[in-house]
Amino acid sequence: MSMPSSADRGRAVPARGHRRGQWVPPQHGAWAMLLVPYLAGLITVGASWVQLPLLLAWLSGYMLSYFALLAVKTHRLERVRAQVFLYGGVTLAAGVTTLAARPELLLFGPVFAVVLGVNAVFASARRDRALVNGLVSVLAAALVLPVVAVAAGVTPWRVTGTFLVTLLYFTGSLLFVRTSIRERGNPRMLAVSAGFHAAALVAAGLVALPYAVPFAGYLVRAVVLPRRGLGPKQTGLVETAASALLLASVAIVEG
């Protein structure tokens, strides 16, 4: 699964000497998009053993898609052939284990295939950092919530509220980071971000009143912080705290 970084997506693989960069995608924001919805799902429906191979398939699938899409973007598969084979093998093994226990998870396959198709189109056009591509990947990240529910043997409708607030949060996060880094000083994008966060505050409060508290904070963040000239590191720290606040809110609502 291809997940965008909240800041920079699709950077080139670092030089050969940087081994960590060769094997781990340099997209720090992507890890929150992978782990926070998964953890929110566990908080909502509880844990089962099936969710362990599911997590492995989810993480390795992201790394597989990152390097595969990098090959599409650069037309240089030979640079990432080893990563594609390694993460492909891990994803296959973990995926088969998960599907053997919950074959109904195959129903989600077409949805994620469409997401990968969209990501591939943007990568091929070297427009993988486009806002639309980011929004599609945000949707894919949130969709792991019903997957986690089905893996636990629970109806996916059980996570509807958590899915909605997670989708709202990461969409807002994507807009906030763009206004803080890539489109800093763009008044139109700042207005779009502020308007979305205001609407998200209302929507989250309708899902469950306690969600209004963190989303009020997200609205203040979206309006105030882009004007402060934060760098990528500071923005990342803000988003780490915001993600933790979301998980705490889910625990309060679902507890």
Side-chain angles (χ1 to χ4, degrees):
M1 192 59 46
S2 177
M3 296 293 146
S5 161
S6 294
D8 266 338
R9 190 176 181 276
R11 297 180 215 169
V13 177
R16 185 171 297 276
H18 299 282
R19 289 191 173 273
R20 183 175 181 275
Q22 277 188 304
W23 293 93
V24 179
Q27 300 181 336
H28 306 298
W31 298 105
M33 287 181 60
L34 289 163
L35 292 174
V36 170
Y38 175 85
L39 293 174
L42 292 187
I43 293 170
T44 304
V45 303
S48 70
W49 75 266
V50 183
Q51 291 157 341
L52 290 176
L54 171 62
L55 176 61
L56 181 58
W58 181 239
L59 296 179
S60 62
Y62 158 66
M63 290 187 278
L64 168 63
S65 69
Y66 172 84
F67 287 107
L69 290 173
L70 186 60
V72 170
K73 179 180 178 179
T74 62
H75 305 288
R76 297 184 66 180
L77 175 60
E78 67 277 4
R79 291 186 60 187
V80 294
R81 191 187 308 274
Q83 292 92 327
V84 169
F85 277 112
L86 173 64
Y87 292 127
V90 174
T91 303
L92 179 62
V96 167
T97 302
T98 304
L99 290 173
R102 298 291 184 194
E104 57 268 37
L105 287 172
L106 276 171
L107 294 174
F108 291 98
V111 178
F112 288 109
V114 170
V115 171
L116 283 173
V118 172
N119 292 155
V121 169
F122 277 96
S124 179
R126 303 183 71 87
R127 296 186 59 237
D128 46 321
R129 298 183 191 182
L131 180 60
V132 172
N133 193 44
L135 291 172
V136 169
S137 292
V138 164
L139 176 60
L143 281 172
V144 80
L145 275 153
V147 173
V148 168
V150 172
V154 177
T155 172
W157 299 110
R158 173 67 181 82
V159 298
T160 300
T162 310
F163 169 81
L164 288 174
V165 295
T166 301
L167 181 62
L168 289 170
Y169 165 66
F170 278 108
T171 301
S173 177
L174 180 66
L175 294 173
F176 163 66
V177 173
R178 289 187 76 92
T179 59
S180 297
I181 300 175
R182 288 185 58 80
E183 299 196 43
R184 180 186 297 170
N186 182 339
R188 178 176 295 181
M189 181 57 67
L190 184 61
V192 169
S193 178
F196 175 84
H197 279 85
L201 168 59
V202 175
L206 291 174
V207 172
L209 191 58
Y211 287 130
V213 176
F215 276 85
Y218 301 153
L219 173 59
V220 173
R221 170 205 64 178
V223 173
V224 174
L225 293 186
R227 307 175 192 272
R228 298 297 177 90
L230 300 181
K233 182 177 180 179
Q234 292 82 2
T235 302
L237 290 173
V238 169
E239 289 310 279
T240 298
S243 295
L245 186 58
L246 178 71
L247 289 176
S249 301
V250 171
I252 291 171
V253 171
E254 300 295 337

